[in-house]
Amino acid sequence: MNQFIKQCKGTDSDTVHNLATYWHKGCAWYSSIKYDGQYAQIHITKDSVIFYTSSGKPYINELLADELQKCIPDDMKPIVLEAEYLGNGDGKLGGRADAAVVTTARTAFAKGISYSAKHQLRIFDIIEDESFAIRMKDLDKLRNKFVDSTMVLVVNYKLCTSIENARIACARYVENGWEGIYCKSVLHTHEAGKRVKTAFKFKLKNTTTVKIVGIDEGTGKYAGLIGAFICEDENGMRVNVGSGLTDSIRQLSPAALIGLKIRINYERIDQTYIFPIFIDFLQDEDD
């Protein structure tokens, strides 16, 4: 069995204070739809197909495996693909629930039970040492092999000429129900286990105001500092906000922060605010 390769993750554009610093002049960037499903890493040889979850747990969907073996030419194997497993959905925002069927496939694999279902899969990259500029050529080759598939597609990438261009594209896709876009530099390479700034996730966030009612102390490199704000909205819903806090904010006196209002971005509400990110402090009650 092949060994899982840790993900190389892109950075959320909203967490970077000076995004233009990383949008290198003269370096091409390409964007694609960001699907809302379950990450799938797929190892394919001439004799086998193994799927892995984002945490490295193996499983198999035999119908999808057959489709992959049939469409991918032997001269491209072995190959390791990155894809979004959509289950019975289309990958639009909120589609992660449809993709939760991965749990069934994983459980069946662990028990040695055959599992086969006509689920949707979207291939978005190939794990190898070459730059994204080179990988795109192989993705184009794969895309042509799956044009008649009813389950597997290779995502389309479009040239993204500027940050503003990326935000406009993101808004257009969000308006049509997608989660956002994912942008990769032609210089991007797979750095296992790292979060890099040669790839950015653009999502349109909702904004709200919450009050700081407590502090979670940090751990690891933030030990002794503020790890997250414990916040509450006007309806009593609580949320911990740690993303977006700068080192200088983490060093502030916790006692002086209790009762202050902050503005946050978030993706959606599901019992609490999902993916909250600190934006700024509000000056007074009237802001």
Side-chain angles (χ1 to χ4, degrees):
M1 185 182 296
N2 299 305
Q3 187 173 0
F4 175 75
I5 301 168
K6 288 185 178 180
Q7 284 180 261
C8 175
K9 297 182 178 181
T11 301
D12 192 321
S13 63
D14 285 347
T15 66
V16 179
H17 295 293
N18 188 8
L19 193 59
T21 302
Y22 305 97
W23 206 272
H24 309 288
K25 291 183 179 179
C27 176
W29 287 74
Y30 287 84
S31 68
S32 66
I33 292 173
K34 187 178 187 307
Y35 291 90
D36 192 11
Q38 296 281 350
Y39 174 83
Q41 187 177 117
I42 312 163
H43 293 237
I44 304 167
T45 69
K46 293 180 181 180
D47 302 315
S48 68
V49 177
I50 299 291
F51 293 72
Y52 291 93
T53 66
S54 58
S55 59
K57 295 179 180 177
Y59 64 100
I60 295 177
N61 179 328
E62 293 180 359
L63 196 59
L64 277 174
D66 289 344
E67 187 83 346
L68 290 164
Q69 283 286 29
K70 178 184 73 175
C71 294
I72 297 176
D74 284 347
D75 64 1
M76 294 188 74
K77 301 170 187 172
I79 191 169
V80 180
L81 302 175
E82 290 189 293
E84 202 74 6
Y85 196 107
L86 307 182
N88 297 305
D90 57 9
K92 290 191 174 182
L93 185 60
R96 219 165 301 177
D98 293 317
V101 289
V102 166
T103 302
T104 304
R106 197 180 70 229
T107 302
F109 181 84
K111 293 180 178 180
I113 301 171
S114 174
Y115 180 83
S116 184
K118 191 174 182 179
H119 290 158
Q120 295 295 308
L121 191 72
R122 299 292 179 263
I123 299 167
F124 62 81
D125 210 343
I126 302 168
I127 296 181
E128 57 183 41
D129 295 332
E130 302 286 3
S131 70
F132 186 59
I134 294 174
R135 300 199 308 272
M136 273 197 298
K137 294 178 182 178
D138 284 336
L139 287 169
D140 287 341
K141 184 177 179 181
L142 283 178
R143 187 177 296 107
N144 291 332
K145 299 297 181 181
F146 287 100
V147 289
D148 295 322
S149 176
T150 59
M151 294 181 292
V152 183
L153 294 175
V154 177
V155 303
N156 287 305
Y157 283 92
K158 296 182 178 179
L159 181 64
C160 203
T161 56
S162 66
I163 297 170
E164 183 58 30
N165 182 240
R167 297 196 189 282
I168 292 170
C170 178
R172 183 171 64 250
Y173 283 121
V174 168
E175 192 175 306
N176 288 312
W178 304 102
E179 186 178 6
I181 64 170
Y182 203 98
C183 291
K184 285 185 176 178
S185 160
V186 291
L187 302 177
H188 176 274
T189 56
H190 189 97
E191 298 183 49
K194 293 185 178 180
R195 188 175 293 280
V196 298
K197 290 186 174 67
T198 51
F200 286 103
K201 296 177 287 183
F202 283 80
K203 304 177 187 177
L204 285 190
K205 303 281 188 176
N206 299 295
T207 302
T208 193
T209 299
V210 293
K211 180 186 291 186
I212 300 173
V213 296
I215 300 292
D216 261 351
E217 186 175 335
T219 58
K221 71 175 182 179
Y222 295 130
L225 304 175
I226 294 172
F229 297 146
I230 303 171
C231 301
E232 194 172 273
D233 68 10
E234 61 182 4
N235 297 315
M237 180 182 291
R238 289 205 169 195
V239 59
N240 281 24
V241 182
S243 293
L245 300 184
T246 63
D247 288 349
S248 58
I249 290 176
R250 294 182 188 277
Q251 295 174 31
L252 295 174
S253 168
L257 298 172
I258 304 299
L260 294 184
K261 287 187 176 182
I262 64 171
R263 189 160 38 229
I264 65 170
N265 280 340
Y266 65 95
E267 183 180 298
R268 65 186 188 280
I269 296 176
D270 183 4
Q271 298 182 336
T272 186
Y273 294 94
I274 305 299
F275 300 127
I277 298 174
F278 171 83
I279 304 176
D280 54 21
F281 292 100
L282 296 183
Q283 297 303 310
D284 55 50
E285 291 292 323
D286 294 327
D287 284 340

